[in-house]
Amino acid sequence: MCQSANAMWSRWSAMLVWIFLLLCCSANVVNTIIYQVTEEQPPNTLIGSLASDQGLPDTGHLYKLEVGAPYLRVDGKTGDIYTTETPIDRETLKDCRNLFEGDPCFLEFEVSITDLMKGTGPRLIEGRIEILDENDNTPQFSSPVLTLSIPENTHVGALFAIPVATDRDSGSNGIADYALTTGPEAANLFSLQVAQDSDEKLPQLIVLGNLDREQRDSYDLNIKVVDGGSPPRQSSALLRITITDANDNVPKFEKSHYEGELPENSPVGHSVLQ
C-alpha cells in the first residue's frame, strides 16, 4: 500500500509540475498572430499594430523586435511593425524557396513586450507575416538562342520538346502561355502546341510539312513566353531549327553510259576514264 501511495504521489507531483510550467508559459507567450503584406513594399510600410491588435494601451509598454530582422522593424512605443530598407523578396526568402505551387510563404517574427508601469518581465508575441506574391519577375528562357535538331525524314505531325522558360513568380503570376512566330518560309512547316503537365506548361514544336535538307538546312523562328500578371511580363528567344541529314537520296552517275579509249601499250596506272 505504501508503494502504491508513493507511485500515486509521484504521478500527482509530475502533473502539478506540468500545470505550473503551462501557466508560466501562457503568462509570457501570446498566441501567434498573422499579418499579410505584398512583397517588395517600400521602406516604412505599415504591416500591423501590435498595440491595437492585442488590446494594449497606447503608452506604458516597450516593444522590442527579437526575430524578424533585417526585413522588419518595430516602433518601441507603439508596437507598429514596418518594412525596412531591406526589401522582402518572396522568391529569395529562405523558407519560401522550395514551396509547392499554391503554398503560402511566411516570414516569422517575435516581439517582446515589457509593461513599464508594472515592472514585470517581458511577454513574447510570436507571429507570422504571409508574403503575397507580386509580379516582379519576367519569365526567361535559359538562353537567347535555343536550338532544335530535326531529321529531314521526320513524319508530319511529329512533336519536339522546346526548352521551357522559368519564372520565379508563382501562381497566377507564373508562366501563362507561349507563342511562336515564323517567317513565310517556315509558316507551312512548323507550329506550336502547349501541353499541360501538372502545373507546368510545356511548349512543343509540331512539324506540319515535309523537310528537305538539300533544299534548306536551317530555319530561324521566334518563341515568346508571357506570364499571367497584370500587366503581364514577357520575353522571347530565337528558336533555331537545324535540319539534319538522312540517307534519302540514291547515289547516281552523271551519265548512263561511258566509253573510253587507250593505246595497247599504255603503262600500268594510266588513266583510262573518269
Side-chain angles (χ1 to χ4, degrees):
M1 291 182 62
C2 291
Q3 292 179 351
S4 176
N6 290 335
M8 184 178 294
W9 173 250
S10 297
R11 287 196 295 269
W12 275 105
S13 298
M15 186 178 295
L16 290 174
V17 170
W18 279 109
I19 294 175
F20 175 76
L21 292 175
L22 181 62
L23 291 174
C24 290
C25 292
S26 62
N28 293 312
V29 179
V30 181
N31 291 334
T32 300
I33 60 175
I34 298 179
Y35 293 121
Q36 284 186 337
V37 67
T38 303
E39 64 173 330
E40 303 289 357
Q41 293 299 304
N44 299 317
T45 298
L46 178 64
I47 298 176
S49 176
L50 295 178
S52 60
D53 295 337
Q54 296 299 314
L56 300 174
D58 295 337
T59 60
H61 289 80
L62 177 64
Y63 299 86
K64 180 182 178 183
L65 182 68
E66 305 292 346
V67 175
Y71 304 105
L72 308 174
R73 71 173 181 86
V74 173
D75 188 299
K77 296 181 179 180
T78 65
D80 292 343
I81 301 177
Y82 296 92
T83 59
T84 67
E85 297 291 338
T86 302
I88 302 176
D89 186 353
R90 186 179 187 275
E91 289 71 41
T92 60
L93 287 177
K94 181 180 178 181
D95 294 336
C96 302
R97 293 174 186 170
N98 300 312
L99 295 176
F100 291 103
E101 185 73 23
D103 286 349
C105 166
F106 290 104
L107 175 62
E108 308 284 340
F109 73 88
E110 292 182 7
V111 175
S112 60
I113 304 177
T114 302
D115 191 329
L116 301 178
M117 302 298 182
K118 296 182 179 180
T120 57
R123 292 185 298 161
L124 189 64
I125 287 184
E126 297 178 348
R128 298 190 299 172
I129 301 173
E130 183 180 0
I131 309 303
L132 305 178
D133 190 31
E134 178 79 8
N135 191 27
D136 56 341
N137 292 284
T138 301
Q140 298 285 347
F141 290 100
S142 58
S143 170
V145 179
L146 308 176
T147 59
L148 279 182
S149 294
I150 300 178
E152 62 176 334
N153 60 351
T154 297
H155 297 294
V156 173
L159 298 175
F160 292 86
I162 299 173
V164 298
T166 57
D167 193 333
R168 295 173 64 187
D169 294 319
S170 62
S172 60
N173 290 325
I175 292 174
D177 203 4
Y178 293 87
L180 186 69
T181 303
T182 64
E185 73 284 352
N188 297 324
L189 294 177
F190 305 105
S191 183
L192 179 74
Q193 84 169 20
V194 180
Q196 185 81 23
D197 181 17
S198 184
D199 295 323
E200 185 177 19
K201 288 181 167 51
L202 306 175
Q204 298 173 323
L205 187 75
I206 309 174
V207 177
L208 300 178
N210 296 317
L211 305 174
D212 189 347
R213 181 181 180 275
E214 285 68 43
Q215 292 186 5
R216 189 181 181 108
D217 61 1
S218 68
Y219 297 87
D220 285 345
L221 316 178
N222 182 273
I223 185 167
K224 180 178 68 175
V225 59
V226 59
D227 66 21
S230 180
R233 290 173 174 258
Q234 65 181 36
S235 65
S236 60
L238 176 69
L239 180 60
R240 177 157 294 162
I241 309 298
T242 300
I243 310 301
T244 59
D245 192 27
N247 192 21
D248 59 342
N249 292 287
V250 177
K252 296 180 180 180
F253 290 101
E254 292 182 359
K255 300 178 181 180
S256 60
H257 179 73
Y258 291 86
E259 292 184 0
E261 295 181 355
L262 74 160
E264 63 178 341
N265 61 346
S266 296
V268 175
H270 177 73
S271 177
V272 178
L273 188 67
Q274 181 175 354

